[in-house]
Amino acid sequence: MPSRTRRGWFRAWMLEGLADMAKQHPGPHAQAPHVKGQRWWRVMCLTGLDYFSTLGYQPGIAALAAGLVSPIATVVLVIVTLLGALPVYRRVAKESPHGEGSIAMLERLLSFWQGKLFVLTLLGFAATDFMITITLSAADASAHLVENPHLNSALTGKQVMLTLIMIALLGAVFLKGFGEAIGLAVVLVAVYLALNVVVVVDGLYNVLKAPHLFSDWTSALLAEHGNALAVVGVALIVFPKLALGLSGFETGVAVMPHIEGDPDDTEEKPTGRIRGARKLLTTAAAIMSCFLITTSFITTLLIPPAAFEPGGAANGRALAYLAHEYLGSAFGSIYDLSTIAILWFAGASAMAGLLNLMPRYLPRYGMAPHWARAVRPTVIVLTLIAFLVTWIFDANVDAQGGAYATGVLVLISSAAIAVTIAAHKAGQRRWRAGFAVIAAVFLYTTAVNIAERPDGVKIGACFIAGIMLLSFLSRLKRAFELRVTDVVLDDVAERFVRDYMHRPLRLIANEPNSRDLAEYRDKIRQIRTDNDIPPEDDLVFVEVTVLDPSDFEAELTVRGEVLHERYRVLSLESSSVPNALAALLLQVRDLTGQQPHIYFEWTEGNPFAQFLRFFLFGQGEIAPVTREVLREAEPDRLRRPSVHVG
């Protein structure tokens, strides 16, 4: 195969599906309208890859963070889950039923650049959440491999390499084409939860068989903290350290498009899908709450505290430690295999979440290159980032816990704020008050987590800074694109244009002020004088009103009107004046077959300041930017509309 042909094949393979995503990449979770959805409990297993898999490391991290208070703090965490996060995300499912999550709710509440910057910040924390899910899950899976008695001697000291191999395999799956195998997710989750039930039941049996374990634990608690009230107080203070147990809710709403709805569901009102999503969230939260409490209890009572420390046999794998210790090496190895499989697939769920989330926003904002709409190049970038994170953290599960918890808590806090605002706008006072209290709890939890483990917010800040920098560089690079998806002329505007089928249309770019007779009379006289246009040539005004300059792409609607019974005006609304004018000129050329002309006056002021005005506010030095946009859109000078400046 010639090298040029090979390069063409490789490029086509890398960008496969890009043309189908020209307007908006729907993400891997999107589902074609004709595809039948899945029962909610099957979809729960898909989100459970992320949520339930945290049992692989949550009990160990909780014991390490909270010590003897871990079971009490876990009860507090469960109360916050069932009375806080669950009601919030049940409301998110209702308000955002197409998989966009709470970020889309907040995006609708804010506009202009502050809205875009806020969304980019949340995307940074979402990237932290999902990316650390990939690296932390892979690191914990490799820890289970290394600590397995049959493999320990061969794999000791190779945890970083094993983690990188798992991440590379994950990336390879997506490069080949990841179909969300819900059937496989159901099997993995069912087997994993069944094995955990065995471990929990056996652990409770061993605690009941040795009553002194419970009495020793309570005595140590009271000796360490004085009285029961102090223990509860400490639990309230330390429970934010256990925030990993709250993960999975954002993924739960992200997979909503997979849920089977009612026969009469519509995209505008998917009642059945919303009901199924609420069942999914409630059932997953109930199952996880039971496991969180019981696993925290048995691991705290049955495992020596020293085993939880870094390098200890239970570090990052507390339940696997119990499986090997109390149920034998054979069962322990089966448990390890199941844990490794679900942790690795949890990374797949997180990767799918990233591929679902980022292309919904960044390309639409003009803050990502065109190839970001395609899955494979994005997978390569995300895989390389995961390699870097793994190398920085040395594949250490405990070290990544803070960053993971920060991402989870920021997303839940933003969701709580979003539903509070939604309830306020709906006039629901009781719900507003309840959600406000929940938001306050999660904001407190987030603040405590950040204060205790600032590394988490530092990592989140790095993701935010990276997204911001790359986004603005991409937007700067794409500033001179046409940025108009379609041009629609109303009847009057189309009649104006078709009058020029046999002669060139001459347009005057006018910034509307009072729009009185004097404004148009003086403008037309100035343009004729500056450009030596004979009186017999018709001139048509074109005016652009900038709505939201932070938007990037949009359809352009052109309205025609006659002002003061003599001046024809084409009115446009857009995010950028030069791009809108360029799109209109090309549309006129295509409709009439004639090359149109447009006339400007020079804008006074510093050129750099004028460019910043264009970049940020869609205005500035209009004439040269319009010409540059036309030059990029139409390389052939003979077919390019003419730009005149006087």
Side-chain angles (χ1 to χ4, degrees), residues 365-429:
Y365 293 173
M367 291 180 167
H370 286 296
W371 56 257
R373 299 179 187 269
V375 170
R376 289 187 177 111
T378 308
V379 168
I380 292 175
V381 172
L382 295 176
T383 302
L384 291 175
I385 293 173
F387 283 170
L388 178 63
V389 172
T390 298
W391 176 71
I392 290 173
F393 284 106
D394 199 29
N396 187 297
V397 175
D398 298 328
Q400 298 178 71
Y404 188 19
T406 299
V408 169
L409 286 171
V410 169
L411 289 180
I412 295 180
S413 299
S414 67
I417 293 170
V419 298
T420 302
I421 297 172
H424 173 71
K425 290 198 167 188
Q428 300 167 331
R429 294 184 179 180

Side-chain angles (χ1 to χ4, degrees), residues 103 205 276 374 395 413 454 522 615:
I103 294 178
Y205 170 75
S413 299
D522 295 344
F615 183 74

Side-chain angles (χ1 to χ4, degrees), residues 258-269:
H258 279 302
I259 298 174
E260 179 184 33
D262 294 336
D264 57 348
D265 271 8
T266 63
E267 283 302 302
E268 293 75 25
K269 196 174 181 181

Side-chain angles (χ1 to χ4, degrees), residues 370-494:
H370 286 296
W371 56 257
R373 299 179 187 269
V375 170
R376 289 187 177 111
T378 308
V379 168
I380 292 175
V381 172
L382 295 176
T383 302
L384 291 175
I385 293 173
F387 283 170
L388 178 63
V389 172
T390 298
W391 176 71
I392 290 173
F393 284 106
D394 199 29
N396 187 297
V397 175
D398 298 328
Q400 298 178 71
Y404 188 19
T406 299
V408 169
L409 286 171
V410 169
L411 289 180
I412 295 180
S413 299
S414 67
I417 293 170
V419 298
T420 302
I421 297 172
H424 173 71
K425 290 198 167 188
Q428 300 167 331
R429 294 184 179 180
R430 291 184 179 179
W431 281 111
R432 179 186 64 190
F435 285 136
V437 171
I438 294 171
V441 170
F442 281 117
L443 288 172
Y444 157 76
T445 307
T446 305
V448 171
N449 183 78
I450 290 172
E452 291 282 341
R453 294 181 285 185
D455 286 348
V457 77
K458 291 176 183 176
I459 296 298
C462 290
F463 276 104
I464 293 168
I467 288 176
M468 292 277 190
L469 178 62
L470 293 176
S471 294
F472 280 102
L473 288 176
S474 175
R475 178 125 180 177
L476 186 64
K477 185 175 183 297
R478 300 180 62 190
F480 299 114
E481 290 181 10
L482 207 55
R483 295 170 50 178
V484 173
T485 57
D486 193 19
V487 180
V488 178
L489 284 74
D490 71 3
D491 293 339
V492 177
E494 188 168 357

Side-chain angles (χ1 to χ4, degrees), residues 27-41:
H29 291 313
Q31 184 169 292
H34 64 277
V35 177
K36 191 176 186 299
Q38 301 274 351
R39 299 293 296 275
W40 66 266
W41 59 269

Side-chain angles (χ1 to χ4, degrees), residues 12-42:
W13 180 77
M14 285 292 290
L15 300 180
E16 183 179 356
L18 184 59
D20 300 330
M21 306 171 193
K23 289 194 176 180
Q24 179 176 338
H25 175 73
H29 291 313
Q31 184 169 292
H34 64 277
V35 177
K36 191 176 186 299
Q38 301 274 351
R39 299 293 296 275
W40 66 266
W41 59 269
R42 290 175 62 84

